[in-house]
Amino acid sequence: MRLRLDASTHLLVLTGAGVSAESGIPTFRAGGGLWENHPIERVASPQGFREDPELVWRFYSDRRRQARDVQPNPGHLAVAAIEERLGDRFLLVTQNIDGLHRRAGSHRMVEIHGSLFETRCAHCDRPSFADDKVYYGADVPACDACERKGRKGLLRPNIVWFGEMLDPDHMRRIEVFMESSARARFVFLAIGTSGVVYPAAGLVLHARAAGAETWLVNADPPENRSAFQHFVQGPSGKVLPELVEWA
Ligand code: OAD
């Protein structure tokens, strides 16, 4: 099954951990996946960070090392190549924090769950900054902006944890894209995501309400399979380079 696109199509792509699986980054929910070996609430929640910041930094330092050491795969490259053709008629929404889409050449992109390679303060509202350092041991990094004010603030990865809000500017950017797409031929394509984490899992319904044709590429039928009109089952690194047919 091929997805036919032409230069006037608007395309909204949503990706999840499956798109990075063939680069060697484990997904979250599979057998042996990250959430099987690490309790979510301890490593990916504000409360977990308050209780044991050292454990959280160890977990994300491991993630930083792993993401640094792997390469984008043909699935990431295929997504970047589609953007190259569509320009501003394209938007990528990714739940992935690994930076592989950017390294593959994607630009028009919203990282709705944040970025592994950015750090921010858990206490003050200084802007997040680029950071690929790893922090192991008792040495949890402190915020110098807080220190200058005589306060103690701890730095944390700039990732959206469970129980936290997504950035409203990100959501707005997605809404604006959908509004402008509703007047054109509009396609929504989800890739490598289990469809259980909201609001990402609900984007397909918003896109349908805006008139989108809905496509899914996934290794297995996910939770929200029935919301999609077209389902191509298979690994994204193999499926995506062959999926699009340009009119
Ligand atoms: P999951 O681990 O929940 O799901 C990954 C999906 O990708 C599954 O449906 C797999 O079948 C599929 N898959 C695996 N390998 C694939 C491949 N090579 N090609 C295509 N599909 C493949 O990951 P996400 O849906 O991304 O949030 O999880 C969503 C969010 O839950 C993550 O962003 C993360 C997690 O908790 C945070 O950390 C905030």
Side-chain angles (χ1 to χ4, degrees):
M1 205 179 352
R2 316 261 333 248
L3 165 59
R4 206 176 150 81
L5 297 180
D6 63 48
S8 64
T9 310
H10 285 225
L11 178 66
L12 182 63
V13 175
L14 169 70
T15 61
V19 88
S20 293
E22 287 152 271
S23 292
I25 296 191
T27 60
F28 294 96
R29 291 176 179 76
L34 274 176
W35 292 155
E36 196 173 82
N37 302 312
H38 301 272
I40 296 186
E41 64 286 357
R42 290 190 66 203
V43 297
S45 78
Q47 192 193 342
F49 185 72
R50 276 195 299 275
E51 281 167 9
D52 195 346
E54 207 180 306
L55 172 77
V56 174
W57 266 118
R58 197 182 324 139
F59 176 74
Y60 285 104
S61 293
D62 286 346
R63 308 275 79 73
R64 280 185 177 175
R65 276 196 170 148
Q66 187 174 49
R68 243 179 2 204
D69 288 350
V70 303
Q71 299 303 324
N73 68 56
H76 298 106
L77 295 171
V79 171
I82 298 172
E83 176 183 347
E84 183 89 25
R85 295 281 288 257
L86 292 178
D88 288 336
R89 288 181 299 278
F90 173 96
L91 183 66
L92 169 61
V93 177
T94 186
Q95 299 165 88
N96 299 345
I97 57 173
D98 55 36
L100 289 176
H101 279 300
R102 197 181 302 279
R103 284 169 58 196
S106 289
H107 302 289
R108 294 164 180 88
M109 178 171 62
V110 190
E111 293 173 301
I112 53 170
H113 289 169
S115 166
L116 193 50
F117 296 104
E118 286 178 12
T119 293
R120 68 178 173 88
C121 180
H123 302 270
C124 75
D125 57 3
R126 69 184 281 184
S128 59
F129 56 91
D131 184 15
D132 64 357
K133 290 206 262 313
V134 291
Y135 303 99
Y136 291 97
D139 214 12
V140 173
C143 169
D144 45 15
C146 282
E147 238 161 53
R148 280 195 295 275
K149 290 179 188 145
R151 290 199 290 257
K152 188 170 158 50
L154 292 182
L155 294 178
R156 56 164 278 184
N158 189 25
I159 288 165
V160 180
W161 284 330
F162 287 89
E164 295 187 311
M165 296 266 298
L166 300 194
D167 182 338
D169 290 344
H170 286 172
M171 300 318 286
R172 183 75 199 129
R173 188 163 166 204
I174 299 168
E175 263 170 41
V176 167
F177 184 83
M178 287 212 200
E179 279 162 17
S180 71
S181 300
R183 293 183 291 275
R185 177 172 176 245
F186 179 24
V187 176
F188 177 81
L189 167 63
I191 309 162
T193 177
S194 57
V196 295
V197 176
Y198 283 78
L203 281 182
V204 59
L205 298 178
H206 290 286
R208 277 183 78 160
E213 197 180 305
T214 51
W215 286 71
L216 170 68
V217 172
N218 215 65
D220 311 292
E223 195 86 357
N224 60 353
R225 153 74 186 96
S226 62
F228 292 87
Q229 294 157 312
H230 308 279
F231 173 40
V232 185
Q233 186 163 2
S236 50
K238 291 228 162 55
V239 171
L240 290 176
E242 309 277 304
L243 181 71
V244 173
E245 186 176 59
W246 289 98

